Amino acid sequence: MSLYNLGLVVLGVAILAVAWLPSLLKKYPLSYPVLFVGLGALVYALPLGLPSPDPVTHSAFATHLTELCVIVALTGTGLKIDRKFSRVRWRAPLKLVLILMVVSIAGFWVVAWRLAGLGLASAVLLAATLAPTDPVLAGDVQVGKPGEGREDNVRFALTGEAGLNDGLAFPFVYLALALLPAAVPIAERLTDWVLMDVLYRVAAGIAGGWLAGKAMSFLIFDLPHRIRINPEAYGFVALAVTLTAYGVTELVHGYGFLAVFIAAVTLRTHERSHEYHTEMHEFTDQLERLLIVVILILFGGALVRGLLEPLTWRGVGLGLFLLFLLRPMGGMLTLWRSRLNWREQLVISFFGIRGIGSFFYLAYAINKQAFPDARELWAITGFTVLASIILHGVLATPVMNWLDRYHGRPTTQELDEQAQAGEGPPKQSSAAPR
């Protein structure tokens, strides 16, 4: 009971902190995830007899916890995007997902396999794990709440990319599983991967998300007017959208991450000015923060309990190569001929934040099949995510403020101060959709 009560105290203090810290830290070059990783490391460094945070030993628990956090974050991400979907308006995030992510996976796989000496399947898995940007920890560089107008080209591109690539990286995780030794011939496994894991699962994810979004739009906005339902508790409705879209799509073997994001975007297009969009987003944001607290504390605990012990210099090099060379250079080349100016291209290319999604993919794959170097993969992933949390967490606020001032826009902090003073947020002249 003492351990249970201690856990309640730690969790209570952490939840209170995550409720206050984001607003308190807006003016400082520091993000709250850094503090919670430190809190987890501090708590687990003490002789308190806390349960093991090892993600390899508890791979099933790590899979489901990170899975729930990501799908909740994807719903909130889709709900706060004001820009309607079209191939022209969504050109930047689509290029980042369909070109940059694929090129990044291929380039990282070659370096990890041929230069770092990882096995073929492990190199593919690590590339797929670290390729997608994170919708959970990237809040400081994403668009604002629904209808707030904080949707410039940079924030929109990073938000759309984080929403889409968490589902579209999944085929490469399945490719890594297919490359493990098995009795089935490799040609048959690769054929099945193309037909099932690439074509069918992606199509099922897109279709499942669109259908779920349409169905939920009818139930939320249209049905109450017809049968006199009193529309209340729309936060729970957002959770229903999340769980239904994900669960149904996974039941038909589609990609649930992709379905959840598309369902949220589809739902957002229905009665765009309705206040319930804000209510649903607020609920998902609070639930996401609760889950983040638990995951980051466990991550900090895993760091002091030996998660990075198998880390070698080649693993450090792989993480730094991804953060400082592959993502920035690949992003600049991908966006080179776009209508974005060089400052916008540079910021988008640099902020390829890695986080909870990477934890999920790695835990999922290792929970499915045994990888001989699982602990080294976790060490490399843990190091890369930790470096990303620190690097991007410190630079997000000053870089986004610099970009806002360059465009003559008020910074996020200035908008919040004006809103608190009762002046209301001024309308921003976001760049035209491109």
Side-chain angles (χ1 to χ4, degrees):
M1 288 299 295
S2 60
L3 180 60
Y4 171 75
N5 292 330
L6 176 64
L8 291 181
V9 172
V10 173
L11 186 60
V13 172
I15 292 173
L16 184 62
V18 81
W20 288 348
L21 282 177
S23 58
L24 295 175
L25 295 176
K26 279 184 178 178
K27 61 176 72 173
Y28 303 107
L30 184 66
S31 65
Y32 72 88
V34 178
L35 300 180
F36 282 105
V37 172
L39 174 62
L42 176 63
V43 170
Y44 270 91
L46 300 174
L48 301 176
L50 295 174
S52 172
D54 182 21
V56 179
T57 305
H58 305 288
S59 60
F61 175 76
T63 300
H64 295 308
L65 179 60
T66 54
E67 177 182 39
L68 182 59
C69 186
V70 171
I71 62 175
V72 170
L74 288 173
T75 299
T77 301
L79 288 173
K80 65 185 179 182
I81 294 179
D82 294 332
R83 200 173 302 196
K84 291 184 177 180
F85 179 82
S86 74
R87 191 170 59 183
V88 175
R89 294 190 183 100
W90 284 58
R91 181 183 303 168
L94 287 174
K95 291 178 72 174
L96 292 173
V97 171
L98 299 178
I99 299 177
L100 176 58
M101 188 181 72
V102 176
V103 171
S104 297
I105 290 175
F108 192 86
W109 161 63
V110 170
V111 172
W113 180 39
R114 305 300 295 181
L115 298 182
L118 287 177
L120 178 60
S122 296
V124 173
L125 176 59
L126 189 62
T129 293
L130 294 175
T133 57
D134 195 68
V136 182
L137 302 180
D140 292 338
V141 296
Q142 290 187 359
V143 301
K145 299 176 183 179
E148 280 192 343
R150 303 182 193 182
E151 196 163 295
D152 56 84
N153 289 318
V154 171
R155 288 182 172 91
F156 169 70
L158 290 170
T159 305
E161 178 194 13
L164 287 170
N165 65 13
D166 267 291
L168 294 176
F170 230 136
F172 299 97
V173 175
Y174 279 106
L175 176 60
L177 293 171
L179 292 174
L180 287 172
V184 181
I186 184 65
E188 185 176 336
R189 279 180 275 154
L190 292 178
T191 300
D192 181 69
W193 173 74
V194 171
L195 296 178
M196 181 66 183
D197 299 325
V198 177
L199 299 179
Y200 172 76
R201 292 184 189 271
V202 170
I206 295 172
W210 183 80
L211 290 173
K214 286 294 184 181
M216 286 297 176
S217 298
F218 172 77
L219 293 175
I220 295 170
F221 298 108
D222 297 333
L223 188 60
H225 299 300
R226 300 188 182 189
I227 59 176
R228 296 183 179 179
I229 296 177
N230 186 20
E232 295 180 350
Y234 273 82
F236 289 102
V237 173
L239 184 58
V241 173
T242 303
L243 300 179
T244 303
Y246 186 81
V248 170
T249 305
E250 288 289 326
L251 284 173
V252 297
H253 305 291
Y255 290 128
F257 282 175
L258 188 58
V260 167
F261 179 69
I262 291 176
V265 171
T266 304
L267 183 64
R268 182 72 181 91
T269 62
H270 199 93
E271 299 191 28
R272 303 184 66 81
S273 60
H274 205 295
E275 62 182 359
Y276 293 137
H277 288 296
T278 301
E279 293 185 26
M280 288 188 289
H281 172 265
E282 289 291 341
F283 180 85
T284 58
D285 183 61
Q286 293 171 7
L287 182 57
E288 175 189 329
R289 291 188 188 188
L290 173 61
L291 295 168
I292 287 175
V293 166
V294 178
I295 293 173
L296 292 181
I297 288 177
L298 291 174
F299 177 47
L303 292 175
V304 298
R305 290 291 182 88
L307 181 69
L308 299 185
E309 284 184 2
L311 186 66
T312 61
W313 284 111
R314 71 176 184 179
V316 172
L318 285 173
L320 298 180
F321 166 71
L322 173 68
L323 296 177
F324 288 99
L325 287 177
L326 185 59
R327 165 70 189 199
M329 292 180 60
M332 292 295 290
L333 291 173
T334 301
L335 300 172
W336 176 45
R337 301 188 66 179
S338 69
R339 297 180 182 179
L340 302 170
N341 62 53
W342 70 268
R343 291 176 179 83
E344 293 172 325
Q345 294 177 19
L346 182 61
V347 174
I348 292 172
S349 301
F350 177 75
F351 280 104
I353 299 175
R354 269 59 184 179
I356 311 302
S358 296
F359 291 158
F360 167 76
Y361 281 123
L362 186 54
Y364 176 86
I366 291 175
N367 194 45
K368 280 281 186 181
Q369 293 192 43
F371 282 77
D373 40 11
R375 292 202 173 274
E376 183 179 7
L377 296 180
W378 265 109
I380 297 172
T381 301
F383 167 77
T384 306
V385 171
L386 179 63
S388 179
I389 288 176
I390 296 173
L391 174 69
H392 297 125
V394 169
L395 294 178
T397 297
V399 168
M400 298 310 291
N401 287 344
W402 166 74
L403 194 64
D404 286 334
R405 292 191 179 102
Y406 170 78
H407 286 291
R409 297 187 298 256
T411 65
T412 300
Q413 180 191 349
E414 292 169 346
L415 288 171
D416 290 338
E417 290 174 352
Q418 292 172 5
Q420 291 175 2
E423 302 174 12
K427 288 186 177 181
Q428 301 180 61
S429 57
S430 297
R434 295 172 179 173

